[in-house]
Amino acid sequence: MANIKDVAAKANVSVATISNVLNGTKYVSDEVKERVWDAVEETGYIPNNLARSLKVKRTRTIGMIVAYIENPIYAGIFRELEMTAKTKGYSVVVCNSNDDPETEEQLVKLLLSNKVDGLVIVPAKNSKISNKNLIPPDFPLVLLNRKINGFQANSVGIENEKSTFEAVSHLINVHGYKRIAYVSGETSNLLSKERKEGYIQALEENDIKVDPELIFNGDSTFQGGGRAAAAMLSQTDRLEAVFVAGTTMLLGVMFQLKIMNISCPKDIAVMGFSDSSMNILLDPPISSITQPLKELAENAFSLVLKQIEHKSTDIENIILPCKTQYRSSCGCKWEPDLESFFTNNSDGKYRFDLIES
Amino acid sequence: MANIKDVAAKANVSVATISNVLNGTKYVSDEVKERVWDAVEETGYIPNNLARSLKVKRTRTIGMIVAYIENPIYAGIFRELEMTAKTKGYSVVVCNSNDDPETEEQLVKLLLSNKVDGLVIVPAKNSKISNKNLIPPDFPLVLLNRKINGFQANSVGIENEKSTFEAVSHLINVHGYKRIAYVSGETSNLLSKERKEGYIQALEENDIKVDPELIFNGDSTFQGGGRAAAAMLSQTDRLEAVFVAGTTMLLGVMFQLKIMNISCPKDIAVMGFSDSSMNILLDPPISSITQPLKELAENAFSLVLKQIEHKSTDIENIILPCKTQYRSSCGCKWEPDLESFFTNNSDGKYRFDLIES
DNA sequence: ATGAAAGCGCTAACAT
DNA sequence: ATGTTAGCGCTTTCAT
């Protein structure tokens, strides 16, 4: 494959001139420029970014690590990140950690080795990225959505407690539910704690006693959510509503409800954390707290960029507010509409368009 | 950041030795080895893959381009590809083309510039990757799922026609439906044509006249599917079943059915192309043709690998069979089960596990 | 068993 | 306005 030297030879100029016309770094006469472009064309020259990056010590690439790219939340954040990054001339590469700290560690090493300019990471469970010798102390890094106990790092996340508080308050104040169960994620998880705190606050604020019997561990999984639902519904005292603290569990809960032939919201109202297109398609459409994917991505990017450009040295923790979608599952009235459906992405396009496969 | 020279200085050996112990390229005495590893540790040395790749002319990276990573089909293929690639020491980077040929072209250039060893591409609509001067003629490339008219390239795809034929035959032979509508994807699309052919064959094989009035264009979109459903159901003659040739449209059809308060499969049975977890969660659970994500990924990888290693020069077109999931929407009996749910991935794990986000 | 040095393809400082 | 060349960090051949 042709390199810059070949092109230079063909155009009868020096390699410096080739570099200059390709990058617009210096003035080059029109005549020479033309010869250069012709030579580029003829040789099918494609600049070698490895060599370039090695020289300029910059790849203009951001590395992103998520647990599962199949998760619509992360797929969405990835594409938004890709889009904002592009406007600043950056590209981004994603990797799946499978929520496994070993895999995550390998990936971090790989990405560092590949000289990404910055890292955006959704830390795996028991993540080791806080180990001093994994990521260099001053390396541009932002933690997304999940935090690591006792690790000081730039981060962007959402108002877990406040959002939950508001959603549960809605259940209480708008619909008058009092016996509200809670399905929590893995208890070790920081996010889980924040969300549960929001639930407790909402009850207390409204003088409803927090009943530990009404708090179920859904373990952050689909099956866990289903089992929690089963346990919850076998209680003798009738429940009025349930708040489910994560998408996957939420789906599990709905699935179990259907299996047990429990009508929602008639028999029990449901409200959950994290929205996705599935929530709209399900029967009934699920009310849920929506994460601001675009803002999350934009803030994450501007935070890495700031570090890359040495604009700031002190660490920032950005916490973004969430909106809640009140649909049918909580007891609200909500009208599905085909034409306006799924068109609320940042670019107004439905993401699944035209993928026949 | 420390480089190989720094490590060499600290260990009091030559850079060659550092390279040799890190890569196990040559025998090095245990004593020196130890000194080297200590120095690596102390300096926090991370090898620079750019320099390495520049030298060895190989990155062990595969570039993948899909339309939308949010599409569960592609997210799934990506992760499977990542997993098989890993077993051979390769990593893979994905990019979103947004199904836009311009973006796709840019991405191809970027990936080539970044010296990926091979390319796995789901071509965008009106793709330009067949242009002679975009991808070098002998560059390791495999087209995934979609083909390009008149472009000779390695590819892996699925049996579109045969799968559709079988699924529609099921509708006819098992359930006895005769008036079966068809919602097609974008008509320009090759896959669309293959699938429609399968539908036609199935009808003809069973002496059912193909009625053009029963063929609707869903345009490969959610909205298109919904509109097709609306049109279809406004027909005076009662339909018994419908085959929907793509996931997105399928979802649109189901959504519209619910809006119009049409019961499925009682009022109309539904069968679709492409399975995803959504299909199981929906009410009723949707019968659909399942793409073999793992096999698709494995074949795609072995095909690029073969080219990378110059093992083969002639082009191959691999066509994989699909299985069909007969669930409730076509009229079959199907029992949802929480514990076995979503555990049928290649590694037996439910993909959304533990994503609290 | 270890080291010296050339060279991968590029950019940029310096020279003309 | 264009060219020469050192050097980015590594691997590998050839010496020792």
Side-chain angles (χ1 to χ4, degrees):
Chain A
M1 208 176 254
N3 64 24
I4 202 171
K5 249 174 156 175
D6 301 331
V7 185
K10 177 141 271 166
N12 244 300
V13 293
S14 72
V15 293
T17 300
I18 303 293
S19 176
N20 285 141
V21 352
L22 260 54
N23 301 308
T25 342
K26 270 191 185 178
Y27 179 85
V28 176
S29 71
D30 285 353
E31 186 213 323
V32 172
K33 251 191 210 159
E34 192 173 334
R35 281 214 319 273
V36 169
W37 284 119
D38 286 352
V40 166
E41 180 83 0
E42 282 175 51
T43 54
Y45 172 63
I46 298 168
N48 184 328
N49 254 343
L50 299 178
R52 172 168 220 285
S53 299
L54 179 60
K55 177 70 192 175
V56 303
K57 294 171 169 301
R58 183 171 24 83
T59 54
R60 287 194 178 277
T61 301
I62 305 294
M64 179 179 192
I65 302 179
V66 302
Y68 303 102
I69 192 70
E70 287 96 331
N71 185 327
I73 303 278
Y74 294 121
I77 297 180
F78 166 53
R79 92 150 327 107
E80 294 292 352
L81 191 63
E82 204 179 31
M83 290 172 86
T84 29
K86 195 178 171 186
T87 66
K88 301 280 183 187
Y90 280 78
S91 36
V92 9
V93 306
V94 242
C95 306
N96 290 301
S97 72
N98 295 358
D99 214 22
D100 170 52
E102 258 72 50
T103 307
E104 184 185 54
E105 190 176 344
Q106 274 181 247
L107 290 172
V108 167
K109 282 180 184 160
L110 180 66
L111 291 171
L112 287 178
S113 205
N114 286 342
K115 296 288 158 186
V116 294
D117 293 342
L119 243 18
V120 174
I121 302 183
V122 182
K125 188 172 142 181
N126 301 322
S127 175
K128 295 174 174 166
I129 61 168
S130 55
N131 287 181
K132 257 282 158 322
N133 41 10
L134 219 204
I135 302 179
D138 52 350
F139 190 85
L141 166 70
V142 8
L143 264 31
L144 200 68
N145 259 352
R146 286 147 95 159
K147 288 189 163 197
I148 298 175
N149 259 319
F151 179 47
Q152 294 295 314
N154 285 278
S155 71
V156 13
I158 52 172
E159 293 178 344
N160 285 296
E161 181 175 335
K162 185 163 176 246
S163 309
T164 307
F165 173 85
E166 288 171 354
V168 175
S169 297
H170 170 92
L171 256 22
I172 300 170
N173 299 320
V174 176
H175 299 291
Y177 306 132
K178 284 197 168 9
R179 277 186 61 79
I180 303 173
Y182 182 86
V183 178
S184 82
E186 264 194 291
T187 47
S188 66
N189 193 308
L190 255 179
L191 298 188
S192 284
K193 287 187 188 134
E194 294 176 3
R195 291 176 190 176
K196 191 188 282 180
E197 201 46 48
Y199 162 76
I200 292 173
Q201 294 301 329
L203 295 192
E204 289 182 346
E205 182 107 339
N206 289 281
D207 301 316
I208 299 174
K209 219 183 99 209
V210 177
D211 181 355
E213 301 264 301
L214 261 45
I215 298 183
F216 298 83
N217 181 6
D219 211 34
S220 300
T221 68
F222 182 86
Q223 269 79 14
R227 284 184 219 115
M232 180 172 94
L233 293 161
S234 71
Q235 289 214 343
T236 41
D237 290 341
R238 193 172 166 274
L239 253 21
E240 294 174 299
V242 57
F243 183 89
V244 188
T247 338
T248 320
M249 298 184 291
L250 182 56
L251 263 17
V253 166
M254 296 310 290
F255 191 70
Q256 186 63 31
L257 252 43
K258 198 175 295 171
I259 289 180
M260 296 175 72
N261 220 346
I262 308 268
S263 158
C264 167
K266 223 181 69 197
D267 297 336
I268 187 167
V270 175
M271 166 82 80
F273 211 110
S274 290
D275 195 21
S276 80
S277 39
M278 270 201 226
N279 293 13
I280 322 183
L281 255 12
L282 252 36
D283 186 36
I286 307 180
S287 304
S288 52
I289 296 167
T290 305
Q291 297 198 40
L293 304 189
K294 193 182 181 195
E295 287 73 22
L296 243 17
E298 284 174 347
N299 280 279
F301 183 71
S302 75
L303 222 48
V304 248
L305 198 59
K306 217 186 260 180
Q307 297 173 72
I308 291 171
E309 294 173 344
H310 307 290
K311 289 272 168 60
S312 163
T313 164
D314 35 63
I315 83 149
E316 280 181 68
N317 294 290
I318 300 177
I319 310 285
L320 269 19
C322 301
K323 284 207 197 100
T324 299
Q325 299 293 336
Y326 298 106
R327 292 192 274 250
S328 315
S329 73
C330 69
C332 281
K333 265 229 130 22
W334 184 79
E335 278 307 319
D337 169 45
L338 181 69
E339 296 304 326
S340 66
F341 203 45
F342 279 138
T343 50
N344 57 344
N345 287 292
S346 69
D347 58 357
K349 273 181 76 179
Y350 172 47
R351 298 301 191 197
F352 288 169
D353 269 11
L354 303 179
I355 27 183
E356 206 49 69
S357 60
Chain B
M1 206 176 255
N3 64 23
I4 202 171
K5 249 176 160 173
D6 302 329
V7 185
K10 177 141 272 167
N12 244 299
V13 292
S14 72
V15 294
T17 300
I18 303 292
S19 176
N20 284 140
V21 352
L22 260 55
N23 299 310
T25 341
K26 268 192 188 177
Y27 179 85
V28 176
S29 71
D30 285 353
E31 187 213 319
V32 172
K33 249 188 211 161
E34 193 172 332
R35 282 216 316 274
V36 169
W37 283 118
D38 287 351
V40 166
E41 180 83 357
E42 281 174 52
T43 53
Y45 173 62
I46 298 168
N48 184 328
N49 253 343
L50 299 178
R52 173 169 220 287
S53 299
L54 178 60
K55 180 67 194 177
V56 303
K57 294 173 168 299
R58 184 173 20 86
T59 53
R60 286 193 178 279
T61 301
I62 305 294
M64 180 178 190
I65 302 179
V66 303
Y68 302 102
I69 191 69
E70 286 96 331
N71 185 328
I73 303 278
Y74 294 121
I77 298 180
F78 165 53
R79 90 152 326 109
E80 294 291 352
L81 191 64
E82 204 180 31
M83 289 172 87
T84 29
K86 196 178 170 186
T87 67
K88 302 278 184 189
Y90 280 78
S91 36
V92 10
V93 306
V94 241
C95 307
N96 290 301
S97 72
N98 295 357
D99 214 22
D100 170 52
E102 257 73 49
T103 307
E104 184 185 53
E105 190 174 346
Q106 274 181 247
L107 290 173
V108 167
K109 282 181 184 158
L110 180 67
L111 291 171
L112 287 178
S113 205
N114 286 341
K115 295 291 159 185
V116 294
D117 293 341
L119 243 18
V120 173
I121 303 182
V122 181
K125 188 171 142 180
N126 301 322
S127 176
K128 294 174 175 167
I129 61 168
S130 55
N131 287 181
K132 257 283 156 321
N133 40 10
L134 218 204
I135 302 180
D138 51 352
F139 190 84
L141 165 70
V142 8
L143 263 33
L144 199 68
N145 260 353
R146 284 147 97 160
K147 288 188 163 200
I148 299 175
N149 259 319
F151 179 46
Q152 294 294 315
N154 285 278
S155 70
V156 12
I158 52 171
E159 293 178 344
N160 285 296
E161 181 174 335
K162 185 161 176 248
S163 309
T164 307
F165 173 85
E166 289 171 354
V168 175
S169 297
H170 170 93
L171 257 20
I172 301 171
N173 299 320
V174 175
H175 300 290
Y177 306 132
K178 284 196 166 13
R179 278 186 61 80
I180 303 173
Y182 182 87
V183 178
S184 82
E186 266 194 289
T187 47
S188 66
N189 193 308
L190 255 180
L191 298 188
S192 285
K193 287 187 187 131
E194 294 176 2
R195 293 177 189 176
K196 191 187 284 183
E197 200 47 46
Y199 161 78
I200 292 172
Q201 293 302 328
L203 295 192
E204 289 182 346
E205 182 104 341
N206 289 280
D207 301 316
I208 299 173
K209 220 184 99 207
V210 177
D211 181 354
E213 300 264 301
L214 260 45
I215 298 182
F216 299 83
N217 181 6
D219 211 33
S220 300
T221 66
F222 182 87
Q223 269 80 14
R227 283 184 220 114
M232 181 172 93
L233 293 161
S234 71
Q235 290 215 343
T236 40
D237 291 340
R238 193 173 165 271
L239 253 21
E240 295 174 297
V242 57
F243 183 90
V244 188
T247 337
T248 320
M249 296 185 291
L250 181 56
L251 263 17
V253 167
M254 296 310 291
F255 191 71
Q256 186 63 30
L257 253 42
K258 195 175 297 172
I259 290 180
M260 296 174 75
N261 220 347
I262 308 268
S263 160
C264 167
K266 225 183 67 197
D267 296 337
I268 187 167
V270 175
M271 167 82 81
F273 212 110
S274 290
D275 196 19
S276 80
S277 39
M278 268 200 227
N279 292 14
I280 322 185
L281 256 11
L282 250 39
D283 188 35
I286 307 179
S287 303
S288 52
I289 296 167
T290 305
Q291 297 198 41
L293 304 190
K294 193 182 181 196
E295 288 72 24
L296 242 17
E298 285 174 347
N299 280 281
F301 183 70
S302 75
L303 223 48
V304 246
L305 198 59
K306 215 185 261 180
Q307 297 173 72
I308 291 172
E309 295 174 343
H310 306 292
K311 289 272 169 60
S312 165
T313 164
D314 35 64
I315 83 147
E316 281 181 66
N317 295 289
I318 300 177
I319 311 286
L320 269 17
C322 301
K323 286 208 195 96
T324 300
Q325 300 293 336
Y326 299 107
R327 292 192 276 250
S328 315
S329 74
C330 68
C332 282
K333 265 231 131 18
W334 184 79
E335 278 308 320
D337 168 46
L338 180 69
E339 295 305 326
S340 67
F341 202 46
F342 279 137
T343 50
N344 57 346
N345 287 291
S346 68
D347 60 355
K349 274 181 74 179
Y350 172 46
R351 298 301 191 198
F352 288 169
D353 269 12
L354 305 178
I355 27 181
E356 205 53 68
S357 61

